[in-house]
Amino acid sequence: MIRKIILLSAWILGFSCGAFSAMAQTENAAVRLSQMDKGTHRILLVFAPDSQNELLQEQNKMLRQAHSGLTERDMLVVQVIENNVELNPPLKETIPTADALRQEYKVKASQFTVILVGKDGGEKYRADHPQAPAVLFQIVDSMPMRQNEAQQKRPK
């Protein structure tokens, strides 16, 4: 009887440690993503199951045509495709793994998802289909931080 209690206690302890470890890894991914460039960029996460995904191709085409708007709004595009994470523009910072980002943002490996993350690290918008840059820019431009940035850049 005592042996069963000890085994059960050990199993519960091992399970709990594993759960805490998984939570810590996910938490670390969120912290690393929101702080990897010290809040200088808004992050557009684009998740796709593979590089041949039609929705990904459509999203990339739209983003290429909006390069200047992305730059003007300090937007960093982070693509999570299969097990790869790519940044545009590239940064030298250590970035979370594809699995950690999928866990943090609750995106399945088989789905296409676009997520806009503000400079404060908070999720601002999510969609399961490609987003026109004009839609994303409208969301960003309505943010108080962006409005302050625009006022500071205006010639006086």
Side-chain angles (χ1 to χ4, degrees), residues 11-87:
W11 181 81
I12 290 171
L13 181 62
F15 178 78
S16 298
C17 290
F20 288 129
S21 175
M23 286 187 333
Q25 287 174 353
T26 299
E27 196 172 290
N28 288 341
V31 168
R32 282 187 302 208
L33 180 61
S34 66
Q35 295 178 352
M36 72 181 178
D37 68 340
K38 285 49 165 195
T40 58
H41 290 94
R42 292 170 182 90
I43 299 172
L44 181 65
L45 287 161
V46 180
F47 292 88
D50 60 65
S51 60
Q52 303 306 311
N53 182 275
E54 290 179 23
L55 298 174
L56 174 65
Q57 299 299 324
E58 184 180 340
Q59 184 69 68
N60 283 341
K61 182 179 178 184
M62 289 188 283
L63 291 175
R64 277 192 299 275
Q65 295 171 349
H67 177 73
S68 63
L70 293 167
T71 302
E72 179 184 329
R73 290 166 181 83
D74 300 323
M75 292 179 72
L76 173 69
V77 178
V78 177
Q79 293 193 337
V80 182
I81 305 167
E82 295 177 280
N83 292 323
N84 300 313
V85 179
E86 299 173 11
L87 289 93

Side-chain angles (χ1 to χ4, degrees), residues 67-117:
H67 177 73
S68 63
L70 293 167
T71 302
E72 179 184 329
R73 290 166 181 83
D74 300 323
M75 292 179 72
L76 173 69
V77 178
V78 177
Q79 293 193 337
V80 182
I81 305 167
E82 295 177 280
N83 292 323
N84 300 313
V85 179
E86 299 173 11
L87 289 93
N88 187 10
L91 297 177
K92 294 179 182 177
E93 318 300 337
T94 302
I95 56 174
T97 65
D99 286 339
L101 288 169
R102 280 196 191 93
Q103 272 188 322
E104 171 61 24
Y105 292 96
K106 297 174 179 59
V107 177
K108 295 178 184 172
S110 62
Q111 70 186 112
F112 177 88
T113 303
V114 175
I115 301 172
L116 177 62
V117 178

